[in-house]
Amino acid sequence: MGFLEHWIRLIMSCVSLEKYKIIHGSHEVGPILPTQEIRQGDPLSPYLFIICAKKLSALLQKYERSGLIHGCKVANGAPQLSHILFVDDSYLYCKAMIQEAICIQELLRKFEMASGNIEMVLRNQLCSLLEITVVEEGSFYLGLPSTLSQNKTMILGYLRDKVRNRLKTWEGRFLFKGGKEVLIKSVVQAFPSYAMNVFLLPMEISRDIEQYITKFWWHSFKDGNKGINWMAWERLCKHKKGGGMGFHNF
């Protein structure tokens, strides 16, 4: 792409000289040399991503100019589109022909080898051999996330959103305290229960869910969604014999 060799060496130093250590209890493992990556959150990362995406785009255009693949037209007279890139999502277009599909596979393999992603090649070979499907991040199985990363708050955040959205559907209804109690106990607090049998919820999600329920319990839609919290959440979670409402304390 025309970058000076000195600049390339500087960038590769940032990529290949990073070291990691893993500490577990009193044991230390490392140093681990990634050789092909930089720290997560590094400000240099987006720029390197753009450079790699531009190279993929150039490779696709080269195949299109050579007549190996043909893009699609959205209308007569419109230019052909061989690919559309949205951040890390890529749409590739070609004719519904075996030969062009093979060309797509070939150029992706070239890009894969150039980026050094050999682990992905091995994973695909294993999946092909065992006839299994790769579980993508963010997928669900039996109503629960199939994979968990270090950011559990992001992965399990769907529970918080589910509770908030359900409570919003009830805001326009005129409900007495008895009706709210039934809805909270039988519907809202049942949402996270299934996931909590498997996962330990982050405190942030638990607090947010409790805040949504508290607002729904004390605030009145009739009064412009205003209200006073007359009792702390911990008190509401006590048994009715103890002066509470018997709500679950997440």
Side-chain angles (χ1 to χ4, degrees), residues 161-171 187-188 191:
D161 299 336
K162 201 171 184 180
V163 169
R164 183 178 63 245
N165 293 335
R166 178 53 63 93
L167 290 174
K168 281 185 177 180
T169 62
W170 297 334
E171 287 180 352
V187 181
V188 178
F191 282 148

Side-chain angles (χ1 to χ4, degrees), residues 4 17 26 45 51 53-54 93 96 105 112-114 147 160 162 165-166 171 176 209 213 235 238 240 244 247:
L4 295 176
L17 297 183
S26 58
S45 181
I51 291 176
K54 185 174 178 61
Y93 299 97
Q105 187 181 44
E112 186 176 49
M113 298 300 292
T147 59
R160 174 176 52 198
K162 201 171 184 180
N165 293 335
R166 178 53 63 93
E171 287 180 352
F176 295 100
I209 292 177
I213 296 175
R235 181 77 180 275
K238 290 185 178 181
K240 288 187 177 181
F247 294 148

Side-chain angles (χ1 to χ4, degrees), residues 112-179:
E112 186 176 49
M113 298 300 292
S115 60
N117 198 356
I118 306 300
E119 182 182 354
M120 184 68 70
V121 177
L122 177 60
R123 186 180 72 171
N124 291 338
Q125 290 176 346
L126 291 174
C127 291
S128 176
L129 177 65
L130 300 175
E131 297 183 359
I132 58 178
T133 304
V134 178
V135 177
E136 301 295 339
E137 187 174 349
S139 60
F140 285 74
Y141 179 70
L142 298 179
L144 296 175
S146 300
T147 59
L148 276 184
S149 62
Q150 291 183 345
N151 192 349
K152 291 177 62 179
T153 302
M154 183 183 69
I155 299 297
L156 298 174
Y158 76 96
L159 296 171
R160 174 176 52 198
D161 299 336
K162 201 171 184 180
V163 169
R164 183 178 63 245
N165 293 335
R166 178 53 63 93
L167 290 174
K168 281 185 177 180
T169 62
W170 297 334
E171 287 180 352
R173 302 182 183 181
F174 295 93
L175 299 171
F176 295 100
K177 287 297 184 184

Side-chain angles (χ1 to χ4, degrees), residues 38-233:
I38 54 180
R39 292 192 301 269
Q40 185 176 3
D42 192 297
L44 190 62
S45 181
Y47 297 98
L48 295 181
F49 178 85
I50 292 173
I51 291 176
C52 293
K54 185 174 178 61
K55 190 60 181 176
L56 174 61
S57 180
L59 187 61
L60 285 159
Q61 291 171 354
K62 179 181 179 181
Y63 270 67
E64 188 177 16
R65 287 194 302 268
S66 303
L68 299 175
I69 61 174
H70 297 81
C72 69
K73 292 183 177 181
V74 296
N76 292 331
Q80 286 188 341
L81 295 177
S82 61
H83 61 285
I84 302 177
L85 308 181
F86 297 98
V87 192
D88 58 347
D89 294 324
S90 304
Y91 293 85
L92 309 183
Y93 299 97
C94 68
K95 285 186 177 181
M97 299 171 58
I98 297 297
Q99 187 58 41
E100 293 207 11
I102 293 175
C103 289
I104 291 289
Q105 187 181 44
E106 177 184 290
L107 69 87
L108 288 177
R109 186 176 294 112
K110 287 182 178 179
F111 181 72
E112 186 176 49
M113 298 300 292
S115 60
N117 198 356
I118 306 300
E119 182 182 354
M120 184 68 70
V121 177
L122 177 60
R123 186 180 72 171
N124 291 338
Q125 290 176 346
L126 291 174
C127 291
S128 176
L129 177 65
L130 300 175
E131 297 183 359
I132 58 178
T133 304
V134 178
V135 177
E136 301 295 339
E137 187 174 349
S139 60
F140 285 74
Y141 179 70
L142 298 179
L144 296 175
S146 300
T147 59
L148 276 184
S149 62
Q150 291 183 345
N151 192 349
K152 291 177 62 179
T153 302
M154 183 183 69
I155 299 297
L156 298 174
Y158 76 96
L159 296 171
R160 174 176 52 198
D161 299 336
K162 201 171 184 180
V163 169
R164 183 178 63 245
N165 293 335
R166 178 53 63 93
L167 290 174
K168 281 185 177 180
T169 62
W170 297 334
E171 287 180 352
R173 302 182 183 181
F174 295 93
L175 299 171
F176 295 100
K177 287 297 184 184
K180 287 188 174 183
E181 178 186 356
V182 172
L183 290 175
I184 290 173
K185 290 182 177 179
S186 61
V187 181
V188 178
Q189 295 201 322
F191 282 148
S193 298
Y194 178 55
M196 291 175 73
N197 288 325
V198 182
F199 303 116
L200 183 64
L201 291 188
M203 291 297 295
E204 180 181 346
I205 293 180
S206 300
R207 285 193 296 265
D208 288 345
I209 292 177
E210 290 170 356
Q211 288 177 2
Y212 296 149
I213 296 175
T214 302
K215 182 179 179 180
F216 175 74
W217 175 252
W218 291 114
H219 294 199
S220 173
F221 179 82
K222 182 179 179 182
D223 297 327
N225 204 22
K226 295 180 180 180
I228 300 175
N229 296 0
W230 294 103
M231 190 181 296
W233 173 254

Side-chain angles (χ1 to χ4, degrees), residues 9-26:
R9 285 196 297 270
L10 289 176
I11 296 300
M12 291 307 299
S13 296
C14 296
V15 172
S16 59
L17 297 183
E18 186 64 42
K19 298 179 181 179
Y20 297 93
K21 288 185 179 180
I22 299 176
I23 299 177
H24 178 67
S26 58

